[in-house]
Amino acid sequence: MSRRLLSLMSVLVATATLLAPAAAQGAIPVGRAPYAMLANPAAHEIYVANIFSDNVSVIDANTDSVTTTISVGRAGTISAPAALAHNPATGKLYCVNYWAGKLVVISLPSKTIETSIPVGYSHANPRAVVVNPATNLVYVTNITQGLVYVVDGEPASPTYNTVRTTIPVGFYPRSAAVNATLSRLYIANTSSNSVSVIDIDPLSASCNQVIATIPTGVQPYALTLNHATGKVYVANRSSNSVNVIDGVTNSVLATIAVGSHPRAVEVNPDRDLVYVANRDSNTVSVIDGASDALTRTVTVGTTPYALAGIRTLTGDTYVANYHDSSTTGTVTTIDAAFGTSETAVGRGPSSLAIDTLFAKPKVYVGNYNSNDVSVIDPDFGASSLLTTIDPLPGDGTDDPTPVLTGSSTSLVQPFPGRIMSVYWRLDGHDSWSEARIVEGDGTPSARWEVALEESLAAGEHTLQVCAMDMTGATLVSSDGFASSSAHTGAIASYTFTYPRPSDEREDGWVFGRVTDEYTGRPYRGLLVELKQAGRAARTDARGYYRFNTVPPNGSGEFPAPAYIVRLVLRKPLASHEPLSKTVTVIEGSGARVDWSAHMRGRPARRPASARPPAGRV
């Protein structure tokens, strides 16, 4: 064989290798026909609604394995779990059973069913479910009845887990989205070619009423919104268009032509871009949210079915391609420069979820036809939801259970995200804990604190903190056709030392005075010991003693074991004052220990100047 032919074959093999889709990390077996997925980043859990096995699989994102399977139907019947919602404020997972007409309330983290609430009746089909984290109310659409059910999800309410009211909307209310900032609920009525706008402000006279019905294109199928701008985006599958609605005025700002059969829509608020998956043209349309104009069309795999994105300035967007192959499906990754790459996954990928609380987030792909979930590792990128950790003095602490503080701020405009939760973990621990927001809860800028309860081991420690705005709750129906991924901020890291190295501490000092109990005159030449330091000093003519450069042994809020200061006498004191006293030395400060006593057999001297010895006092 000639060298030229060998060289050509090498090029062909290399080219084939480059063109072949990369493979996902592996498949996680779940139930039959995984239909809807939802991520709970704080717990590192992924919830998968399996529509034909009537259960919800719980995946541990740390190990990428199923830890629990929750049955949500009745034996011998088909319940068809079709949509999920999560409220991190109450720790509840909501599952819509399409055929059974029920909303199943699952308590997290116990993974037990709390109750099952009728939201229709058998074969009167509930379809979408969303949460308002400002009120803990849950909204469920019913496509058969043309109703929205309002369910009380506030545990402290006397009507908890009951239907408060129903709201008539249009025909076949297919999708829903909540704007918690404007207190509006948007419903896409697929068979009425309209969007219903519902007032959900509990203080409003028109609460739970339709305040506007907005005409759309033909068969509005999916909708989402940009919380930063207040705009609502509606994908019309039969007129191949997207309507842009002003969430303040409830008017249509633009109608944008896209590809054939748009069925999923995703927003990146940090870049103000909108991605639309066009099922029959195998493309994704990209809309500029500032100009409300189509900026580019990206070719993806066959039958793009679902979208999800990492909502940062440089985050990728992911497209699940349902019919890419009879044996495998693919996920197209669209990067920040609109370049694409393919990853091979299972058969019939139709839903996506992202755990953003890893240093490198994970994308989970629900494969409808192969009954499993694939995992992809993407890059995170820069976020407009920023967190800053306040540094400790000298980047260290002598307190074994310190309190660390900081702030989180949303930079998007004109409607910056309202911060709902701040999460932290120490030294790369698998799970995250919730920090206490001490100022600005529910506003675009919040102060928080982390109080460590377990004593630190000696050495370096790294604190990681991340904020989540109100999109941490399910604000957009999560049934595979619209993304419900949270807008999670950048993870801030801070490394500190316990205890601090001695050369980074500012020493304190111990001083005091010994005087006669009755006359107030000073005692000169008495011996005072600082026990732990192995040091001693004598009082001067004015009765003062002093120990300089004493290492601090605590702080005012968290004292460590105190020093013992002892007055050494050859003759007994004629008072009840103890010879030994304890003292805590604060960094850069003086600690004073005085004695007022009278020694038998020792005449008191005349008072000398009350001026203390030279140095800091």
Side-chain angles (χ1 to χ4, degrees), residues 565-580:
V565 186
R566 181 170 179 264
L567 179 62
V568 181
L569 296 174
R570 290 191 297 267
K571 296 183 179 181
L573 285 173
S575 75
H576 298 291
E577 191 162 6
L579 294 177
S580 297

Side-chain angles (χ1 to χ4, degrees), residues 98 119 123-128 140-149 169-175 188 190-191:
Y98 180 78
V119 283
H123 302 291
N125 311 121
R127 193 64 188 85
V140 184
T141 68
N142 189 298
I143 58 176
T144 306
Q145 297 174 306
L147 295 175
V148 173
Y149 284 76
V169 288
F171 295 114
Y172 206 98
R174 174 65 184 74
S175 300
T190 301
S191 297

Side-chain angles (χ1 to χ4, degrees), residues 223-571:
L223 86 166
T224 191
L225 51 87
N226 186 340
H227 295 272
T229 63
K231 292 181 179 179
V232 183
Y233 299 91
V234 186
N236 305 301
R237 70 176 180 181
S238 293
S239 57
N240 303 328
S241 64
V242 170
N243 294 123
V244 184
I245 297 173
D246 187 326
V248 176
T249 64
N250 295 326
S251 59
V252 175
L253 298 175
T255 299
I256 305 165
V258 292
S260 177
H261 199 121
R263 61 166 287 119
V265 59
E266 166 74 2
V267 168
N268 184 329
D270 281 17
R271 300 184 69 193
D272 201 4
L273 294 177
V274 184
Y275 297 81
V276 183
N278 306 305
R279 190 193 72 176
D280 293 344
S281 56
N282 302 328
T283 60
V284 167
S285 301
V286 183
I287 297 170
D288 180 6
S291 62
D292 294 330
L294 182 70
T295 60
R296 65 184 63 233
T297 300
V298 181
T299 300
V300 294
T302 305
T303 318
Y305 217 71
L307 290 167
I310 297 177
R311 297 173 173 179
T312 62
L313 296 173
T314 57
D316 296 337
T317 299
Y318 299 87
V319 189
N321 304 305
Y322 186 81
H323 280 143
D324 241 11
S325 168
S326 60
T327 56
T328 62
T330 65
V331 169
T332 301
T333 301
I334 305 175
D335 63 27
F338 306 106
T340 61
S341 60
E342 301 289 327
T343 302
V345 292
R347 290 184 291 114
S350 59
S351 55
L352 296 160
I354 304 178
D355 186 339
T356 52
L357 275 182
F358 284 108
K360 187 177 183 182
K362 292 182 177 181
V363 177
Y364 291 82
V365 187
N367 303 307
Y368 184 84
N369 293 328
S370 55
N371 304 326
D372 54 29
V373 171
S374 302
V375 186
I376 302 172
D377 273 348
D379 291 321
F380 186 74
S383 173
S384 65
L385 185 54
L386 303 181
T387 291
T388 302
I389 302 172
D390 299 333
L392 295 168
D395 291 328
T397 179
D398 294 314
D399 177 12
T401 55
V403 174
L404 296 105
T405 60
S407 60
S408 299
T409 304
S410 173
L411 301 180
V412 295
Q413 293 294 334
F415 300 109
R418 293 194 287 169
I419 294 170
M420 183 175 70
S421 303
V422 177
Y423 296 99
W424 66 274
R425 67 177 180 177
L426 191 68
D427 299 332
H429 193 273
D430 287 344
S431 61
W432 293 72
S433 301
E434 191 164 358
R436 188 171 77 92
I437 296 178
V438 296
E439 182 181 335
D441 190 11
T443 71
S445 184
R447 292 283 303 170
W448 49 263
E449 67 175 28
V450 172
L452 300 183
E453 296 180 354
E454 296 184 5
S455 295
L456 294 170
E460 283 194 344
H461 298 275
T462 299
L463 176 72
Q464 291 180 304
V465 183
C466 181
M468 188 178 293
D469 67 13
M470 282 204 169
T471 59
T474 303
L475 304 182
V476 178
S477 51
S478 58
D479 48 13
F481 308 117
S483 170
S484 61
S485 57
H487 188 190
T488 306
I491 298 176
S493 295
Y494 174 64
T495 299
F496 62 96
T497 302
Y498 168 79
R500 279 182 298 167
S502 58
D503 58 354
E504 293 184 4
R505 298 191 186 104
E506 184 179 355
D507 289 333
W509 60 97
V510 176
F511 71 104
R513 196 180 190 209
V514 184
T515 58
D516 187 89
E517 182 179 5
Y518 302 111
T519 67
R521 293 176 178 176
Y523 284 117
R524 178 181 182 179
L526 296 184
L527 186 66
V528 180
E529 294 179 337
L530 188 62
K531 296 291 289 183
Q532 289 92 332
R535 296 165 64 181
R538 290 191 179 274
T539 56
D540 61 15
R542 295 176 297 278
Y544 283 99
Y545 71 93
R546 183 184 181 90
F547 298 100
N548 289 321
T549 62
V550 178
N553 66 325
S555 68
E557 190 174 357
F558 298 98
Y563 286 106
I564 297 176
V565 186
R566 181 170 179 264
L567 179 62
V568 181
L569 296 174
R570 290 191 297 267
K571 296 183 179 181

